[in-house]
mmCIF file with all atom_site columns, all heavy atoms in Angstrom:
data_model
loop_
_atom_site.group_PDB
_atom_site.id
_atom_site.type_symbol
_atom_site.label_atom_id
_atom_site.label_alt_id
_atom_site.label_comp_id
_atom_site.label_asym_id
_atom_site.label_entity_id
_atom_site.label_seq_id
_atom_site.pdbx_PDB_ins_code
_atom_site.Cartn_x
_atom_site.Cartn_y
_atom_site.Cartn_z
_atom_site.occupancy
_atom_site.B_iso_or_equiv
_atom_site.pdbx_formal_charge
_atom_site.auth_seq_id
_atom_site.auth_comp_id
_atom_site.auth_asym_id
_atom_site.auth_atom_id
_atom_site.pdbx_PDB_model_num
ATOM 1   N N   . ARG A 1 1  ? 4.706   7.581   -7.925  1.00 93.00 ? 95  ARG A N   1
ATOM 2   C CA  . ARG A 1 1  ? 4.350   7.476   -9.345  1.00 93.00 ? 95  ARG A CA  1
ATOM 3   C C   . ARG A 1 1  ? 3.553   6.194   -9.610  1.00 93.00 ? 95  ARG A C   1
ATOM 4   O O   . ARG A 1 1  ? 2.538   6.218   -10.326 1.00 93.00 ? 95  ARG A O   1
ATOM 5   C CB  . ARG A 1 1  ? 5.626   7.481   -10.191 1.00 93.00 ? 95  ARG A CB  1
ATOM 6   C CG  . ARG A 1 1  ? 5.376   7.415   -11.681 1.00 93.00 ? 95  ARG A CG  1
ATOM 7   C CD  . ARG A 1 1  ? 6.711   7.446   -12.425 1.00 93.00 ? 95  ARG A CD  1
ATOM 8   N NE  . ARG A 1 1  ? 7.442   8.677   -12.148 1.00 93.00 ? 95  ARG A NE  1
ATOM 9   C CZ  . ARG A 1 1  ? 8.703   8.887   -12.525 1.00 93.00 ? 95  ARG A CZ  1
ATOM 10  N NH1 . ARG A 1 1  ? 9.366   7.933   -13.166 1.00 93.00 ? 95  ARG A NH1 1
ATOM 11  N NH2 . ARG A 1 1  ? 9.287   10.023  -12.262 1.00 93.00 ? 95  ARG A NH2 1
ATOM 12  N N   . ALA A 1 2  ? 3.987   5.082   -9.002  1.00 93.00 ? 96  ALA A N   1
ATOM 13  C CA  . ALA A 1 2  ? 3.284   3.810   -9.189  1.00 93.00 ? 96  ALA A CA  1
ATOM 14  C C   . ALA A 1 2  ? 1.888   3.855   -8.574  1.00 93.00 ? 96  ALA A C   1
ATOM 15  O O   . ALA A 1 2  ? 0.918   3.365   -9.164  1.00 93.00 ? 96  ALA A O   1
ATOM 16  C CB  . ALA A 1 2  ? 4.092   2.672   -8.569  1.00 93.00 ? 96  ALA A CB  1
ATOM 17  N N   . ILE A 1 3  ? 1.787   4.439   -7.388  1.00 94.00 ? 97  ILE A N   1
ATOM 18  C CA  . ILE A 1 3  ? 0.488   4.529   -6.718  1.00 94.00 ? 97  ILE A CA  1
ATOM 19  C C   . ILE A 1 3  ? -0.485  5.363   -7.543  1.00 94.00 ? 97  ILE A C   1
ATOM 20  O O   . ILE A 1 3  ? -1.664  5.018   -7.688  1.00 94.00 ? 97  ILE A O   1
ATOM 21  C CB  . ILE A 1 3  ? 0.668   5.103   -5.304  1.00 94.00 ? 97  ILE A CB  1
ATOM 22  C CG1 . ILE A 1 3  ? 1.306   4.039   -4.397  1.00 94.00 ? 97  ILE A CG1 1
ATOM 23  C CG2 . ILE A 1 3  ? -0.664  5.572   -4.720  1.00 94.00 ? 97  ILE A CG2 1
ATOM 24  C CD1 . ILE A 1 3  ? 1.788   4.576   -3.072  1.00 94.00 ? 97  ILE A CD1 1
ATOM 25  N N   . LYS A 1 4  ? -0.005  6.453   -8.114  1.00 94.00 ? 98  LYS A N   1
ATOM 26  C CA  . LYS A 1 4  ? -0.853  7.279   -8.981  1.00 94.00 ? 98  LYS A CA  1
ATOM 27  C C   . LYS A 1 4  ? -1.391  6.448   -10.143 1.00 94.00 ? 98  LYS A C   1
ATOM 28  O O   . LYS A 1 4  ? -2.574  6.536   -10.504 1.00 94.00 ? 98  LYS A O   1
ATOM 29  C CB  . LYS A 1 4  ? -0.054  8.472   -9.496  1.00 94.00 ? 98  LYS A CB  1
ATOM 30  C CG  . LYS A 1 4  ? -0.846  9.455   -10.352 1.00 94.00 ? 98  LYS A CG  1
ATOM 31  C CD  . LYS A 1 4  ? 0.017   10.660  -10.704 1.00 94.00 ? 98  LYS A CD  1
ATOM 32  C CE  . LYS A 1 4  ? -0.781  11.691  -11.491 1.00 94.00 ? 98  LYS A CE  1
ATOM 33  N NZ  . LYS A 1 4  ? -1.118  11.231  -12.844 1.00 94.00 ? 98  LYS A NZ  1
ATOM 34  N N   . GLY A 1 5  ? -0.521  5.605   -10.709 1.00 93.00 ? 99  GLY A N   1
ATOM 35  C CA  . GLY A 1 5  ? -0.934  4.785   -11.837 1.00 93.00 ? 99  GLY A CA  1
ATOM 36  C C   . GLY A 1 5  ? -1.980  3.746   -11.468 1.00 93.00 ? 99  GLY A C   1
ATOM 37  O O   . GLY A 1 5  ? -2.936  3.525   -12.219 1.00 93.00 ? 99  GLY A O   1
ATOM 38  N N   . ILE A 1 6  ? -1.821  3.113   -10.303 1.00 94.00 ? 100 ILE A N   1
ATOM 39  C CA  . ILE A 1 6  ? -2.796  2.072   -9.959  1.00 94.00 ? 100 ILE A CA  1
ATOM 40  C C   . ILE A 1 6  ? -4.119  2.684   -9.478  1.00 94.00 ? 100 ILE A C   1
ATOM 41  O O   . ILE A 1 6  ? -5.175  2.055   -9.632  1.00 94.00 ? 100 ILE A O   1
ATOM 42  C CB  . ILE A 1 6  ? -2.237  1.044   -8.953  1.00 94.00 ? 100 ILE A CB  1
ATOM 43  C CG1 . ILE A 1 6  ? -1.917  1.664   -7.609  1.00 94.00 ? 100 ILE A CG1 1
ATOM 44  C CG2 . ILE A 1 6  ? -1.021  0.345   -9.536  1.00 94.00 ? 100 ILE A CG2 1
ATOM 45  C CD1 . ILE A 1 6  ? -1.434  0.645   -6.587  1.00 94.00 ? 100 ILE A CD1 1
ATOM 46  N N   . VAL A 1 7  ? -4.086  3.903   -8.937  1.00 95.00 ? 101 VAL A N   1
ATOM 47  C CA  . VAL A 1 7  ? -5.337  4.599   -8.633  1.00 95.00 ? 101 VAL A CA  1
ATOM 48  C C   . VAL A 1 7  ? -6.088  4.877   -9.935  1.00 95.00 ? 101 VAL A C   1
ATOM 49  O O   . VAL A 1 7  ? -7.308  4.674   -10.026 1.00 95.00 ? 101 VAL A O   1
ATOM 50  C CB  . VAL A 1 7  ? -5.066  5.907   -7.861  1.00 95.00 ? 101 VAL A CB  1
ATOM 51  C CG1 . VAL A 1 7  ? -6.329  6.769   -7.805  1.00 95.00 ? 101 VAL A CG1 1
ATOM 52  C CG2 . VAL A 1 7  ? -4.590  5.610   -6.450  1.00 95.00 ? 101 VAL A CG2 1
ATOM 53  N N   . GLU A 1 8  ? -5.349  5.309   -10.945 1.00 93.00 ? 102 GLU A N   1
ATOM 54  C CA  . GLU A 1 8  ? -5.967  5.582   -12.243 1.00 93.00 ? 102 GLU A CA  1
ATOM 55  C C   . GLU A 1 8  ? -6.528  4.315   -12.879 1.00 93.00 ? 102 GLU A C   1
ATOM 56  O O   . GLU A 1 8  ? -7.470  4.384   -13.683 1.00 93.00 ? 102 GLU A O   1
ATOM 57  C CB  . GLU A 1 8  ? -4.956  6.243   -13.173 1.00 93.00 ? 102 GLU A CB  1
ATOM 58  C CG  . GLU A 1 8  ? -4.587  7.663   -12.740 1.00 93.00 ? 102 GLU A CG  1
ATOM 59  C CD  . GLU A 1 8  ? -3.439  8.253   -13.545 1.00 93.00 ? 102 GLU A CD  1
ATOM 60  O OE1 . GLU A 1 8  ? -2.819  7.498   -14.339 1.00 93.00 ? 102 GLU A OE1 1
ATOM 61  O OE2 . GLU A 1 8  ? -3.152  9.462   -13.379 1.00 93.00 ? 102 GLU A OE2 1
ATOM 62  N N   . SER A 1 9  ? -5.981  3.150   -12.501 1.00 92.00 ? 103 SER A N   1
ATOM 63  C CA  . SER A 1 9  ? -6.483  1.882   -13.044 1.00 92.00 ? 103 SER A CA  1
ATOM 64  C C   . SER A 1 9  ? -7.735  1.394   -12.324 1.00 92.00 ? 103 SER A C   1
ATOM 65  O O   . SER A 1 9  ? -8.325  0.389   -12.710 1.00 92.00 ? 103 SER A O   1
ATOM 66  C CB  . SER A 1 9  ? -5.397  0.812   -12.956 1.00 92.00 ? 103 SER A CB  1
ATOM 67  O OG  . SER A 1 9  ? -5.242  0.351   -11.615 1.00 92.00 ? 103 SER A OG  1
ATOM 68  N N   . GLY A 1 10 ? -8.149  2.107   -11.261 1.00 95.00 ? 104 GLY A N   1
ATOM 69  C CA  . GLY A 1 10 ? -9.375  1.748   -10.560 1.00 95.00 ? 104 GLY A CA  1
ATOM 70  C C   . GLY A 1 10 ? -9.188  1.147   -9.191  1.00 95.00 ? 104 GLY A C   1
ATOM 71  O O   . GLY A 1 10 ? -10.162 0.752   -8.541  1.00 95.00 ? 104 GLY A O   1
ATOM 72  N N   . ALA A 1 11 ? -7.946  1.058   -8.706  1.00 97.00 ? 105 ALA A N   1
ATOM 73  C CA  . ALA A 1 11 ? -7.707  0.500   -7.374  1.00 97.00 ? 105 ALA A CA  1
ATOM 74  C C   . ALA A 1 11 ? -8.195  1.463   -6.300  1.00 97.00 ? 105 ALA A C   1
ATOM 75  O O   . ALA A 1 11 ? -8.078  2.685   -6.430  1.00 97.00 ? 105 ALA A O   1
ATOM 76  C CB  . ALA A 1 11 ? -6.222  0.208   -7.180  1.00 97.00 ? 105 ALA A CB  1
ATOM 77  N N   . THR A 1 12 ? -8.729  0.890   -5.222  1.00 97.00 ? 106 THR A N   1
ATOM 78  C CA  . THR A 1 12 ? -9.164  1.686   -4.073  1.00 97.00 ? 106 THR A CA  1
ATOM 79  C C   . THR A 1 12 ? -8.314  1.415   -2.839  1.00 97.00 ? 106 THR A C   1
ATOM 80  O O   . THR A 1 12 ? -8.307  2.220   -1.910  1.00 97.00 ? 106 THR A O   1
ATOM 81  C CB  . THR A 1 12 ? -10.627 1.379   -3.720  1.00 97.00 ? 106 THR A CB  1
ATOM 82  O OG1 . THR A 1 12 ? -10.758 -0.027  -3.408  1.00 97.00 ? 106 THR A OG1 1
ATOM 83  C CG2 . THR A 1 12 ? -11.556 1.725   -4.871  1.00 97.00 ? 106 THR A CG2 1
ATOM 84  N N   . HIS A 1 13 ? -7.616  0.278   -2.816  1.00 98.00 ? 107 HIS A N   1
ATOM 85  C CA  . HIS A 1 13 ? -6.836  -0.125  -1.654  1.00 98.00 ? 107 HIS A CA  1
ATOM 86  C C   . HIS A 1 13 ? -5.526  -0.767  -2.112  1.00 98.00 ? 107 HIS A C   1
ATOM 87  O O   . HIS A 1 13 ? -5.427  -1.278  -3.233  1.00 98.00 ? 107 HIS A O   1
ATOM 88  C CB  . HIS A 1 13 ? -7.589  -1.141  -0.791  1.00 98.00 ? 107 HIS A CB  1
ATOM 89  C CG  . HIS A 1 13 ? -8.821  -0.593  -0.128  1.00 98.00 ? 107 HIS A CG  1
ATOM 90  N ND1 . HIS A 1 13 ? -9.977  -0.293  -0.834  1.00 98.00 ? 107 HIS A ND1 1
ATOM 91  C CD2 . HIS A 1 13 ? -9.079  -0.302  1.192   1.00 98.00 ? 107 HIS A CD2 1
ATOM 92  C CE1 . HIS A 1 13 ? -10.888 0.157   0.005   1.00 98.00 ? 107 HIS A CE1 1
ATOM 93  N NE2 . HIS A 1 13 ? -10.374 0.162   1.232   1.00 98.00 ? 107 HIS A NE2 1
ATOM 94  N N   . ILE A 1 14 ? -4.556  -0.765  -1.208  1.00 97.00 ? 108 ILE A N   1
ATOM 95  C CA  . ILE A 1 14 ? -3.335  -1.543  -1.415  1.00 97.00 ? 108 ILE A CA  1
ATOM 96  C C   . ILE A 1 14 ? -3.073  -2.335  -0.145  1.00 97.00 ? 108 ILE A C   1
ATOM 97  O O   . ILE A 1 14 ? -3.195  -1.807  0.968   1.00 97.00 ? 108 ILE A O   1
ATOM 98  C CB  . ILE A 1 14 ? -2.129  -0.659  -1.796  1.00 97.00 ? 108 ILE A CB  1
ATOM 99  C CG1 . ILE A 1 14 ? -0.899  -1.522  -2.079  1.00 97.00 ? 108 ILE A CG1 1
ATOM 100 C CG2 . ILE A 1 14 ? -1.840  0.390   -0.744  1.00 97.00 ? 108 ILE A CG2 1
ATOM 101 C CD1 . ILE A 1 14 ? 0.241   -0.773  -2.750  1.00 97.00 ? 108 ILE A CD1 1
ATOM 102 N N   . ALA A 1 15 ? -2.753  -3.620  -0.301  1.00 98.00 ? 109 ALA A N   1
ATOM 103 C CA  . ALA A 1 15 ? -2.569  -4.527  0.831   1.00 98.00 ? 109 ALA A CA  1
ATOM 104 C C   . ALA A 1 15 ? -1.103  -4.866  1.008   1.00 98.00 ? 109 ALA A C   1
ATOM 105 O O   . ALA A 1 15 ? -0.349  -4.960  0.025   1.00 98.00 ? 109 ALA A O   1
ATOM 106 C CB  . ALA A 1 15 ? -3.381  -5.805  0.631   1.00 98.00 ? 109 ALA A CB  1
ATOM 107 N N   . PHE A 1 16 ? -0.722  -5.076  2.272   1.00 97.00 ? 110 PHE A N   1
ATOM 108 C CA  . PHE A 1 16 ? 0.650   -5.421  2.631   1.00 97.00 ? 110 PHE A CA  1
ATOM 109 C C   . PHE A 1 16 ? 0.639   -6.658  3.533   1.00 97.00 ? 110 PHE A C   1
ATOM 110 O O   . PHE A 1 16 ? -0.272  -6.852  4.333   1.00 97.00 ? 110 PHE A O   1
ATOM 111 C CB  . PHE A 1 16 ? 1.322   -4.264  3.371   1.00 97.00 ? 110 PHE A CB  1
ATOM 112 C CG  . PHE A 1 16 ? 1.341   -2.967  2.615   1.00 97.00 ? 110 PHE A CG  1
ATOM 113 C CD1 . PHE A 1 16 ? 0.339   -2.022  2.793   1.00 97.00 ? 110 PHE A CD1 1
ATOM 114 C CD2 . PHE A 1 16 ? 2.356   -2.692  1.708   1.00 97.00 ? 110 PHE A CD2 1
ATOM 115 C CE1 . PHE A 1 16 ? 0.354   -0.818  2.104   1.00 97.00 ? 110 PHE A CE1 1
ATOM 116 C CE2 . PHE A 1 16 ? 2.381   -1.493  1.008   1.00 97.00 ? 110 PHE A CE2 1
ATOM 117 C CZ  . PHE A 1 16 ? 1.369   -0.551  1.201   1.00 97.00 ? 110 PHE A CZ  1
ATOM 118 N N   . GLY A 1 17 ? 1.695   -7.457  3.433   1.00 97.00 ? 111 GLY A N   1
ATOM 119 C CA  . GLY A 1 17 ? 1.792   -8.678  4.221   1.00 97.00 ? 111 GLY A CA  1
ATOM 120 C C   . GLY A 1 17 ? 2.516   -8.511  5.538   1.00 97.00 ? 111 GLY A C   1
ATOM 121 O O   . GLY A 1 17 ? 3.091   -9.479  6.039   1.00 97.00 ? 111 GLY A O   1
ATOM 122 N N   . ASP A 1 18 ? 2.487   -7.314  6.108   1.00 97.00 ? 112 ASP A N   1
ATOM 123 C CA  . ASP A 1 18 ? 3.149   -7.073  7.392   1.00 97.00 ? 112 ASP A CA  1
ATOM 124 C C   . ASP A 1 18 ? 2.427   -7.815  8.509   1.00 97.00 ? 112 ASP A C   1
ATOM 125 O O   . ASP A 1 18 ? 1.204   -7.980  8.488   1.00 97.00 ? 112 ASP A O   1
ATOM 126 C CB  . ASP A 1 18 ? 3.180   -5.578  7.697   1.00 97.00 ? 112 ASP A CB  1
ATOM 127 C CG  . ASP A 1 18 ? 3.929   -4.785  6.641   1.00 97.00 ? 112 ASP A CG  1
ATOM 128 O OD1 . ASP A 1 18 ? 5.092   -5.128  6.363   1.00 97.00 ? 112 ASP A OD1 1
ATOM 129 O OD2 . ASP A 1 18 ? 3.340   -3.837  6.086   1.00 97.00 ? 112 ASP A OD2 1
ATOM 130 N N   . LEU A 1 19 ? 3.213   -8.197  9.527   1.00 97.00 ? 113 LEU A N   1
ATOM 131 C CA  . LEU A 1 19 ? 2.665   -9.003  10.615  1.00 97.00 ? 113 LEU A CA  1
ATOM 132 C C   . LEU A 1 19 ? 2.611   -8.267  11.950  1.00 97.00 ? 113 LEU A C   1
ATOM 133 O O   . LEU A 1 19 ? 1.582   -8.258  12.612  1.00 97.00 ? 113 LEU A O   1
ATOM 134 C CB  . LEU A 1 19 ? 3.480   -10.287 10.767  1.00 97.00 ? 113 LEU A CB  1
ATOM 135 C CG  . LEU A 1 19 ? 3.238   -11.319 9.664   1.00 97.00 ? 113 LEU A CG  1
ATOM 136 C CD1 . LEU A 1 19 ? 4.372   -12.324 9.587   1.00 97.00 ? 113 LEU A CD1 1
ATOM 137 C CD2 . LEU A 1 19 ? 1.911   -12.026 9.900   1.00 97.00 ? 113 LEU A CD2 1
ATOM 138 N N   . PHE A 1 20 ? 3.727   -7.654  12.366  1.00 96.00 ? 114 PHE A N   1
ATOM 139 C CA  . PHE A 1 20 ? 3.669   -6.992  13.665  1.00 96.00 ? 114 PHE A CA  1
ATOM 140 C C   . PHE A 1 20 ? 4.614   -5.804  13.830  1.00 96.00 ? 114 PHE A C   1
ATOM 141 O O   . PHE A 1 20 ? 4.703   -5.247  14.923  1.00 96.00 ? 114 PHE A O   1
ATOM 142 C CB  . PHE A 1 20 ? 3.901   -7.994  14.809  1.00 96.00 ? 114 PHE A CB  1
ATOM 143 C CG  . PHE A 1 20 ? 5.225   -8.728  14.752  1.00 96.00 ? 114 PHE A CG  1
ATOM 144 C CD1 . PHE A 1 20 ? 6.431   -8.081  14.983  1.00 96.00 ? 114 PHE A CD1 1
ATOM 145 C CD2 . PHE A 1 20 ? 5.261   -10.089 14.489  1.00 96.00 ? 114 PHE A CD2 1
ATOM 146 C CE1 . PHE A 1 20 ? 7.635   -8.755  14.939  1.00 96.00 ? 114 PHE A CE1 1
ATOM 147 C CE2 . PHE A 1 20 ? 6.463   -10.775 14.446  1.00 96.00 ? 114 PHE A CE2 1
ATOM 148 C CZ  . PHE A 1 20 ? 7.654   -10.112 14.677  1.00 96.00 ? 114 PHE A CZ  1
ATOM 149 N N   . LEU A 1 21 ? 5.318   -5.402  12.813  1.00 96.00 ? 115 LEU A N   1
ATOM 150 C CA  . LEU A 1 21 ? 6.243   -4.267  12.939  1.00 96.00 ? 115 LEU A CA  1
ATOM 151 C C   . LEU A 1 21 ? 5.460   -2.958  12.799  1.00 96.00 ? 115 LEU A C   1
ATOM 152 O O   . LEU A 1 21 ? 5.152   -2.504  11.694  1.00 96.00 ? 115 LEU A O   1
ATOM 153 C CB  . LEU A 1 21 ? 7.347   -4.355  11.899  1.00 96.00 ? 115 LEU A CB  1
ATOM 154 C CG  . LEU A 1 21 ? 8.270   -5.580  12.034  1.00 96.00 ? 115 LEU A CG  1
ATOM 155 C CD1 . LEU A 1 21 ? 9.329   -5.573  10.942  1.00 96.00 ? 115 LEU A CD1 1
ATOM 156 C CD2 . LEU A 1 21 ? 8.923   -5.622  13.409  1.00 96.00 ? 115 LEU A CD2 1
ATOM 157 N N   . ALA A 1 22 ? 5.152   -2.348  13.948  1.00 97.00 ? 116 ALA A N   1
ATOM 158 C CA  . ALA A 1 22 ? 4.284   -1.179  13.975  1.00 97.00 ? 116 ALA A CA  1
ATOM 159 C C   . ALA A 1 22 ? 4.891   0.013   13.241  1.00 97.00 ? 116 ALA A C   1
ATOM 160 O O   . ALA A 1 22 ? 4.167   0.802   12.623  1.00 97.00 ? 116 ALA A O   1
ATOM 161 C CB  . ALA A 1 22 ? 3.961   -0.800  15.414  1.00 97.00 ? 116 ALA A CB  1
ATOM 162 N N   . ASP A 1 23 ? 6.221   0.162   13.288  1.00 96.00 ? 117 ASP A N   1
ATOM 163 C CA  . ASP A 1 23 ? 6.844   1.309   12.619  1.00 96.00 ? 117 ASP A CA  1
ATOM 164 C C   . ASP A 1 23 ? 6.723   1.199   11.103  1.00 96.00 ? 117 ASP A C   1
ATOM 165 O O   . ASP A 1 23 ? 6.515   2.204   10.413  1.00 96.00 ? 117 ASP A O   1
ATOM 166 C CB  . ASP A 1 23 ? 8.307   1.452   13.049  1.00 96.00 ? 117 ASP A CB  1
ATOM 167 C CG  . ASP A 1 23 ? 9.122   0.192   12.815  1.00 96.00 ? 117 ASP A CG  1
ATOM 168 O OD1 . ASP A 1 23 ? 8.526   -0.907  12.712  1.00 96.00 ? 117 ASP A OD1 1
ATOM 169 O OD2 . ASP A 1 23 ? 10.365  0.288   12.743  1.00 96.00 ? 117 ASP A OD2 1
ATOM 170 N N   . ILE A 1 24 ? 6.836   -0.032  10.583  1.00 95.00 ? 118 ILE A N   1
ATOM 171 C CA  . ILE A 1 24 ? 6.675   -0.238  9.138   1.00 95.00 ? 118 ILE A CA  1
ATOM 172 C C   . ILE A 1 24 ? 5.239   0.062   8.722   1.00 95.00 ? 118 ILE A C   1
ATOM 173 O O   . ILE A 1 24 ? 4.982   0.728   7.712   1.00 95.00 ? 118 ILE A O   1
ATOM 174 C CB  . ILE A 1 24 ? 7.062   -1.673  8.740   1.00 95.00 ? 118 ILE A CB  1
ATOM 175 C CG1 . ILE A 1 24 ? 8.528   -1.943  9.061   1.00 95.00 ? 118 ILE A CG1 1
ATOM 176 C CG2 . ILE A 1 24 ? 6.775   -1.920  7.264   1.00 95.00 ? 118 ILE A CG2 1
ATOM 177 C CD1 . ILE A 1 24 ? 9.505   -1.086  8.290   1.00 95.00 ? 118 ILE A CD1 1
ATOM 178 N N   . ARG A 1 25 ? 4.287   -0.427  9.525   1.00 97.00 ? 119 ARG A N   1
ATOM 179 C CA  . ARG A 1 25 ? 2.881   -0.158  9.214   1.00 97.00 ? 119 ARG A CA  1
ATOM 180 C C   . ARG A 1 25 ? 2.609   1.344   9.220   1.00 97.00 ? 119 ARG A C   1
ATOM 181 O O   . ARG A 1 25 ? 1.949   1.869   8.306   1.00 97.00 ? 119 ARG A O   1
ATOM 182 C CB  . ARG A 1 25 ? 1.982   -0.877  10.220  1.00 97.00 ? 119 ARG A CB  1
ATOM 183 C CG  . ARG A 1 25 ? 0.506   -0.552  10.012  1.00 97.00 ? 119 ARG A CG  1
ATOM 184 C CD  . ARG A 1 25 ? -0.402  -1.387  10.889  1.00 97.00 ? 119 ARG A CD  1
ATOM 185 N NE  . ARG A 1 25 ? -1.777  -0.958  10.759  1.00 97.00 ? 119 ARG A NE  1
ATOM 186 C CZ  . ARG A 1 25 ? -2.829  -1.747  10.824  1.00 97.00 ? 119 ARG A CZ  1
ATOM 187 N NH1 . ARG A 1 25 ? -2.661  -3.046  11.037  1.00 97.00 ? 119 ARG A NH1 1
ATOM 188 N NH2 . ARG A 1 25 ? -4.055  -1.277  10.701  1.00 97.00 ? 119 ARG A NH2 1
#
C-alpha cells in the first residue's frame, strides 16, 4: 500500500541501506 502511494507521488526508485546480506536484498 505504501509503495503504491509513493509511486503515485512520482518516485521511480526506492533505496535501502543493506550492506551484504544477500537474502535480505
Side-chain angles (χ1 to χ4, degrees):
R95 182 179 299 171
I97 287 168
K98 183 175 183 291
I100 64 177
V101 168
E102 291 172 352
S103 75
T106 59
H107 294 72
I108 183 167
F110 303 93
D112 300 306
L113 287 160
F114 59 70
L115 297 180
D117 55 338
I118 298 297
R119 176 173 174 146

